[in-house]
Amino acid sequence: MHPIFFSTSAKDVVFAEKVWLKFGSDLIYLYSKTGRQGAEFWEEIEREELPNARAIVLFWSRAFVSSPGTQREIALAAKMLRTGQLRSAIVLRVDDCPLLPPDDEQDRDVRKAYEDLRPFLDLTRASEATLSVDLAASLCDDLVARFVAVAPPVFARPMLEEEFFRQAR
């Protein structure tokens, strides 16, 4: 299980993979890179990876909004965010897809994807539209840092060591 879940459409997966490559594979689930071979796709996503993630990165785009797979992921993620199961999120705008549904949008599933995006936008500010891979990785870096345990540096303390040796004698 991975603490961070990358949610992206198949059309944007190359962009997400470039961002993923900047980090360790043990931290981030991206189905094209860390998905288990032979696993049942939705079983892995909906019962293992996404429910156990603590953060999500949404690669928001026109393809994301219209893809049944990402519509399914964002619906589950929005529910998890509302219940506190997901604690952090980033919305990366891969293209110029608006953050609010167009007034003339008729597709019910697309409108639902926009509705499911709302709680994420209440939590965090979305990136600029059509961001670069480097900017996307930089934005993800702060999120990743929360899940990487770094040991504090150990400094030599010769005066303390001398005192311990002196008292031990």
Side-chain angles (χ1 to χ4, degrees), residues 23-97:
F23 303 98
S25 62
D26 57 331
L27 296 173
I28 301 170
Y29 176 82
L30 175 59
Y31 71 90
S32 63
K33 291 291 188 181
T34 52
R36 289 188 337 267
Q37 296 204 11
E40 187 177 322
F41 187 69
W42 286 109
E43 175 81 16
E44 181 178 45
I45 288 175
E46 291 180 328
R47 295 191 186 201
E48 296 172 20
E49 292 295 339
L50 189 50
N52 289 298
R54 295 295 162 253
I56 189 166
V57 177
L58 302 171
F59 288 84
W60 187 255
S61 68
R62 294 182 188 283
F64 186 104
V65 172
S66 60
S67 166
T70 49
Q71 290 169 348
R72 193 168 163 175
E73 287 175 5
I74 197 171
L76 176 57
K79 188 183 302 181
M80 291 172 58
L81 188 67
R82 284 187 208 97
T83 63
Q85 197 173 349
L86 269 178
R87 296 188 189 114
S88 300
I90 298 176
V91 179
L92 300 176
R93 297 179 68 200
V94 178
D95 60 21
D96 63 348
C97 181

Side-chain angles (χ1 to χ4, degrees), residues 87-141:
R87 296 188 189 114
S88 300
I90 298 176
V91 179
L92 300 176
R93 297 179 68 200
V94 178
D95 60 21
D96 63 348
C97 181
L99 298 172
L100 298 172
D103 292 334
D104 60 345
E105 181 59 60
Q106 299 299 315
D107 187 317
R108 197 178 76 208
D109 294 330
V110 169
R111 290 194 78 75
K112 174 83 167 68
Y114 279 103
E115 181 183 313
D116 289 332
L117 177 65
R118 191 83 240 145
F120 295 99
L121 297 178
D122 291 341
L123 175 69
T124 186
R125 179 188 293 175
S127 75
E128 63 188 38
T130 63
L131 77 165
S132 68
V133 169
D134 288 335
L135 179 55
S138 174
L139 294 171
C140 289
D141 196 43

